[in-house]
């Protein structure tokens, strides 16, 4: 027992008992009308000698074990029946309940001689009244007292300053501080706790839980990477708008460049939801950020790579259909069709995911203390079917990336004005390589919030920046170089400034290169034959000139002989005439200089 016992101050028992409380059911309290009447009647019963003698005579004296008990020791005490105690009110109410149930049963029953125990029990369940222990209401399912109708008291053990006790010792007393009545707690006096105060103390010392929220420095790094992507995308988009009339931009089609800028901008913005956790917002805001990340990333990815895929696929289709040299262009409709298909697939999957099983910010417990309090936790965005939806998105988007990479690989040797196919192939090769390295790292670092954030933000930055730089920088450089070329003729400048051609001009292809090589080899053989014929013609021409000199010399000698002799030798003239005719015929067979050049 605690009451009436002294405890050394500072002892374990003294510390354990001080400020403790006991919650117990009570038979009644002062103020309840029935309880007050019961108390008064019992006191009157105990004060009447005749009533006390009657009670003492009816108490059992002989017990089965042969022991004889004299109950007058109890009934003769001055405190006998002064207070009802704990049990008396319950006993009183139980007997009254049975009486009321019996009377009610007889009133409604045709048989007034007797009733069964089952009938009495059912009547008792439906009996309610205000008794000494409060309102009497029984649970019809269990047959026990409804606890909301019972009385409970909270007893507090505190230091008894009035107790006569040795120095260095302490004694406790009990007081009722709270009462449960009519389904509500009613405070009577302030409860005193172990520390002597009435303020509710903490059950355990304050625990600083490590929630592994992202640090301010790490968030700053991620937002800086996001800002760089946004700045690049907006700058290149504005550059495209400013130079949309220039041939360099028109050759690559402005709509193609706008789509790439918009797609990379959305992918860059997806870093922002990654920085939002329960450390900066509530549960609703964190859930919205979880779902915003895949939306921005999926839509941005589909926009960007649909444009790249369409560009290279169109070139390959044209080159497979014809080997002729033509100016070809990819129209806006060509870019939009596959973009819409890929975009609608992503939007459909994301919409179903958002409606059926949206991502939510969940707290994963790493360690707990012996009192099951969380010592370390971290937050993840998770849902019941997250793996299924991620797998579908990976099949759609990584499949499109691989197919676009294949198309770029097939077009890598096609020579265009700005070597665009080779740069697209290089950009997608870098993205695919980084993805195959970064995605497994993301999966491994899932349990580490800081590592997961840094790797994801870095992967998005590498993908977006490499794509923007490899697509736009060659065009910026080509335009700058073209503008600074001061040796361009006025007509050429006018032609370039007023050109309305849109689309990439294909200069050569692997098929065309093979045909050119075959033609080149044929031309080289033909050139060798012509050179041989030319040498033969030169030899004939040289021989003809030598022969003409000899004939002229013979003719001069003949004419001198005729003048000096004043006679004509008919035979010599005939020979001369025949020689002149023969020479003329020979000379006519010699080709002209123009024939030799041809």
């Amino acid at each position: 027992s605690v009451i009436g016992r002294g405890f050394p101050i500072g002892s374990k028992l003294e510390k354990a008992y001080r400020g403790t409380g006991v919650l117990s059911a009570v038979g009644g309290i002062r103020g309840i009308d029935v309880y007050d009447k019961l108390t008064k009647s019992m006191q009157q019963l105990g004060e009447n000698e005749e009533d006390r003698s009657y009670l003492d005579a009816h108490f059992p004296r002989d017990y089965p074990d042969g022991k004889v008990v004299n109950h007058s020791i109890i009934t003769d005490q001055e405190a006998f029946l002064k207070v009802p105690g704990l049990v008396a009110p319950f006993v009183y109410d139980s007997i009254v309940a049975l009486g009321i149930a019996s009377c009610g049963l007889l009133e409604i029953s045709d048989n007034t001689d007797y009733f069964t125990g089952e009938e009495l029990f059912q009547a008792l369940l439906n009996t309610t009244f205000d008794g000494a222990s409060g309102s009497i209401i029984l649970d019809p399912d269990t047959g026990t007292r409804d606890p909301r109708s019972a009385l409970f008291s909270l007893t507090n053990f505190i230091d008894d300053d009035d107790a006569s006790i040795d120095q260095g010792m302490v004694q406790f007393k009990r007081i009722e501080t709270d009462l449960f009545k009519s389904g509500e707690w009613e405070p009577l006096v302030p409860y005193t706790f172990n520390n002597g105060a009435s303020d509710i103390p903490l059950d355990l010392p304050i625990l600083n839980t490590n929630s592994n929220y992202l640090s301010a420095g790490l968030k700053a790094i991620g937002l800086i990477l996001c800002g760089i992507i946004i700045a690049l995308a907006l700058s290149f988009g504005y550059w495209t708008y400013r130079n949309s009339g220039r041939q360099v931009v028109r050759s690559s089609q402005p709509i193609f460049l706008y789509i790439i800028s918009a797609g990379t901008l959305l992918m860059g913005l997806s870093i922002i939801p990654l920085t939002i956790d329960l450390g900066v917002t509530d549960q609703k805001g964190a859930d919205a950020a979880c779902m915003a990340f895949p939306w921005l990333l999926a839509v941005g990815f589909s926009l960007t790579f649909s444009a790249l895929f369409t560009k290279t696929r169109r070139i390959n289709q044209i080159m497979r259909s014809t080997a002729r040299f033509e100016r070809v262009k990819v129209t806006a409709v060509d870019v939009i069709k596959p973009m819409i298909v890929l975009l609608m697939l992503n939007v459909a999957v994301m919409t179903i995911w958002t409606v059926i099983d949206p991502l939510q910010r969940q707290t994963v417990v790493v360690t707990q203390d012996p009192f099951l309090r969380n010592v370390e936790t971290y937050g993840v965005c998770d849902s019941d079917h997250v793996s299924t939806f991620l797998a579908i998105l990976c099949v759609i988007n990584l499949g499109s990336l691989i197919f676009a990479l294949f198309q770029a690989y097939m077009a890598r040797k096609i020579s265009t004005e700005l070597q665009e196919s080779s740069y697209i192939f290089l950009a997608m090769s870098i993205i695919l390589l980084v993805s195959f390295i970064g995605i497994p790292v993301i999966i491994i670092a899932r349990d580490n919030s800081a590592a997961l954030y840094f790797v994801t933000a870095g992967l998005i930055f590498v993908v977006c920046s490499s794509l923007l730089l490899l697509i736009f920088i060659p065009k910026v450089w080509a335009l700058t170089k073209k503008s600074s070329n001061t040796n361009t003729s006025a007509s050429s400048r006018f032609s370039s400034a007023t050109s309305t051609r849109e689309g990439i001009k294909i200069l050569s292809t692997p098929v065309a290169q093979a045909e050119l090589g075959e033609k080149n080899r044929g031309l080289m053989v033909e050139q060798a034959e012509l050179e041989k014929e030319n040498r033969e013609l030169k030899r004939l021409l040289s021989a003809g000139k030598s022969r003409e000199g000899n004939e002229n010399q013979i003719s001069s000698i003949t004419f001198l002989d005729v003048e000096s002799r004043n006679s004509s030798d008919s035979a010599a003239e005939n020979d001369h005439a025949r020689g002149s005719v023969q020479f003329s015929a020979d000379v006519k067979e010699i080709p002209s200089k123009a024939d030799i050049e041809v």
Side-chain angles (χ1 to χ4, degrees), residues 62-97:
D62 298 329
Y63 289 88
D65 59 356
K67 184 178 180 180
V68 178
V69 178
N70 184 9
H71 292 284
S72 61
I73 300 175
I74 299 175
T75 57
D76 290 342
Q77 291 182 1
E78 185 178 356
F80 180 64
L81 298 181
K82 290 294 183 180
V83 291
L86 176 63
V87 180
F90 291 114
V91 175
Y92 174 81
D93 288 339
S94 299
I95 295 173
V96 172

Side-chain angles (χ1 to χ4, degrees), residues 149-449:
S149 68
L151 297 173
F152 296 92
S153 68
L154 179 61
T155 302
N156 185 205
F157 294 96
I158 61 175
D159 295 356
D160 187 0
D161 297 331
D162 299 330
S164 299
I165 196 168
D166 296 339
Q167 188 175 1
M169 303 290 287
V170 64
Q171 187 172 317
F172 299 111
K173 64 179 180 181
R174 61 184 179 187
I175 59 172
E176 289 184 344
T177 60
D178 296 88
L179 179 66
F180 184 80
K181 178 182 176 183
S182 301
E184 295 181 356
W185 280 101
E186 178 183 345
L188 303 177
V189 295
Y191 189 95
T192 303
F193 293 93
N194 183 274
N195 58 2
S198 297
D199 297 330
I200 299 176
L202 295 175
D203 293 337
L204 295 171
I206 297 176
L207 177 66
N208 294 322
T209 303
N210 180 15
S211 300
N212 285 306
Y213 294 138
L214 298 176
S215 63
L218 192 59
K219 289 182 179 180
I221 294 175
L223 293 176
I224 289 173
L225 297 179
C226 175
I228 294 175
I229 296 172
I230 294 173
L232 288 175
L234 293 178
S235 298
F236 287 131
Y238 179 71
W239 177 87
T240 303
Y241 171 75
R242 285 291 303 272
N243 299 281
S244 57
R246 305 294 294 273
Q247 185 56 48
V248 171
V249 177
R250 296 184 63 83
S251 296
S252 299
Q253 291 186 302
I255 183 64
F256 168 78
L257 301 178
Y258 287 142
I259 293 174
I260 291 180
S261 297
T264 51
L265 176 64
L266 291 177
M267 286 193 290
L269 289 174
S270 66
I271 297 177
I272 296 178
L274 289 177
T275 63
I276 300 175
D277 52 28
L278 292 175
V280 296
T281 186
D282 56 6
Q283 184 65 44
K284 186 176 181 180
D287 293 344
C290 284
M291 209 64 225
F293 171 72
W295 266 103
L296 291 171
L297 194 62
V299 174
F301 189 92
S302 62
L303 285 174
T304 302
F305 286 91
S306 63
L308 296 177
F309 160 75
T310 302
K311 195 73 169 175
T312 53
R313 181 172 176 269
R314 181 65 174 167
I315 295 174
N316 286 328
Q317 285 179 334
I318 294 174
M319 289 302 101
R320 283 194 299 266
S321 63
T322 179
R324 296 172 301 181
F325 298 100
E326 295 178 349
R327 290 182 177 182
V328 295
K329 61 180 179 178
V330 182
T331 64
V333 176
D334 295 321
V335 176
I336 290 175
K337 285 181 179 178
M339 181 195 71
I340 292 178
V341 173
L342 187 58
L343 181 62
M344 292 305 296
L345 287 175
N346 280 274
V347 170
V349 174
M350 291 303 306
T351 301
I352 296 173
W353 189 3
T354 304
V355 173
I356 295 178
D357 188 27
L359 288 173
Q360 294 180 338
R361 192 75 178 184
Q362 299 180 5
T363 301
V364 179
V365 178
V366 180
T367 57
Q368 292 181 322
D369 65 3
F371 301 99
L372 301 181
R373 295 186 299 172
N374 297 335
V375 176
E376 182 179 2
T377 63
Y378 66 90
V380 295
C381 294
D382 200 2
S383 63
D384 294 336
H385 304 92
V386 60
S387 300
T388 301
F389 289 106
L390 286 179
I392 296 174
L393 290 174
C394 286
V395 170
I396 295 174
N397 293 296
L398 289 182
S400 64
L401 173 61
I402 294 174
F403 194 58
L405 182 64
F406 172 75
Q407 293 291 334
Y409 174 79
M410 296 298 294
R412 72 193 187 283
K413 292 184 179 180
I414 297 177
S415 177
T416 58
E417 287 178 296
L418 301 176
Q419 299 298 322
E420 200 166 48
S421 298
S422 60
Y423 286 116
I424 293 175
F425 174 70
L426 179 60
M428 287 191 291
S429 299
I430 294 174
I431 292 170
L432 188 63
L433 179 61
V434 172
S435 298
F436 276 119
I437 296 175
I439 292 177
V441 174
I442 291 176
I443 296 174
I444 295 172
R446 178 177 173 82
D447 296 339
N448 190 320
S449 301

Side-chain angles (χ1 to χ4, degrees), residues 539-556:
R539 185 184 65 78
L540 292 175
L541 180 61
S542 177
K545 288 182 179 182
S546 174
R547 182 176 177 182
E548 181 182 0
N550 293 333
E551 291 294 337
N552 289 336
Q553 185 177 4
I554 293 172
S555 297
S556 300

